[in-house]
């Protein structure tokens, strides 16, 4: 396989292939690109240069293609949101593990993406709407009913779905931001 040789562009001073720049990738897209790249699964923090991290991200984007990177990133984001709320179903977890079987490598890719976003290169203003790979626990309603049969029915409650609720982070001013649309600050 031919390694990608990133070239510098004077306008952005960051690596670029003909298809995409690192700045065009959001956090989850960077993480997925790193996961599928030739990035070693283990290395010491601080031993990898900015240019090398960007080269791995671009390699991963070239390897899978931008559309597939974005699709997998939406699923990874959806899984993460459900996981943070303790709402991951067995089906969603199974699909996530099939997509990312090496948990340590995914953790390393997320760490590299986080460093890239917050330290190395800004993210574009584009936001992708997270998705659930499978049936979301809310069933698309925006909330999850919590009814424990052993509990008093008066103690039942519902939780906002972190993926489908109306107040999620990709909603601004009551209007949903379409995928690929810039979000103004």
């Amino acid at each position: 396989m031919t390694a990608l040789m990133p070239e510098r562009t004077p306008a952005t001073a960051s690596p670029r292939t003909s298809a995409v720049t690192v700045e065009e990738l959001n956090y989850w897209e960077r993480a997925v690109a790193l996961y599928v790249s030739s990035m070693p699964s283990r290395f010491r923090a601080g031993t990898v240069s900015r240019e090398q991290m960007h080269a791995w991200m671009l390699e991963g984007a070239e390897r899978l293609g931008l559309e597939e990177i974005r699709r997998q990133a939406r699923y990874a984001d959806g899984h993460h949101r459900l996981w943070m709320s303790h709402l991951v179903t067995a089906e969603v977890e199974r699909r996530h593990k099939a997509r990312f079987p090496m948990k340590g490598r995914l953790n390393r890719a997320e760490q590299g993406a986080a460093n890239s976003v917050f330290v190395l290169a800004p993210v574009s203003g584009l936001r992708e709407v997270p998705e659930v790979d499978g049936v979301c626990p809310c069933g698309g309603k925006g909330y999850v009913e919590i009814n424990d049969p052993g509990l008093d029915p008066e103690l039942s409650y519902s939780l906002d779905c972190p993926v489908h609720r109306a107040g999620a982070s990709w909603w601004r001013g009551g209007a949903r931001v379409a995928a690929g649309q810039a979000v103004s600050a």
Side-chain angles (χ1 to χ4, degrees), residues 60-184:
E62 286 287 324
R63 194 174 272 184
L64 278 187
L66 194 54
E67 287 303 311
E68 182 63 16
I69 289 284
R70 289 196 167 138
R71 185 180 75 83
Q72 288 193 25
R74 289 190 304 268
Y75 288 149
D77 187 8
H79 175 272
H80 184 75
R81 288 171 186 253
L82 290 175
W83 178 81
M84 292 292 291
S85 299
H86 306 285
L87 295 173
V88 176
T89 64
E91 174 193 9
V92 171
E93 184 64 23
R94 180 182 52 75
R95 290 179 183 205
H96 180 74
K97 284 184 178 180
R99 184 172 285 109
F100 304 106
M102 296 183 291
K103 184 176 181 174
R105 182 172 179 79
L106 181 59
N107 289 341
R108 180 65 69 186
E110 287 184 45
Q111 181 182 23
N115 288 340
S116 175
V117 168
F118 297 114
V119 177
L120 303 176
V123 173
S124 75
L126 300 178
R127 299 197 188 241
E128 290 287 331
V129 177
E131 293 179 23
V132 176
D133 188 10
V135 178
C136 185
C138 81
K141 297 180 295 192
Y143 60 91
V144 179
E145 293 290 339
I146 308 297
N147 298 313
D148 188 339
L151 292 177
D152 181 347
E154 295 290 320
L155 299 177
S156 296
Y157 60 96
S158 64
L159 294 173
D160 284 340
C161 176
V163 177
H164 296 108
R165 68 187 166 139
S169 63
W170 59 90
W171 289 69
R172 298 287 186 256
R176 184 175 180 170
V177 176
Q181 226 179 5
V183 176
S184 59

Side-chain angles (χ1 to χ4, degrees), residues 46-68:
T47 61
V48 177
S49 70
R50 169 186 176 164
E51 289 77 17
Q52 182 60 63
M53 289 300 282
H54 286 190
W56 286 329
M57 288 176 199
L58 296 173
E59 174 193 6
E62 286 287 324
R63 194 174 272 184
L64 278 187
L66 194 54
E67 287 303 311
E68 182 63 16

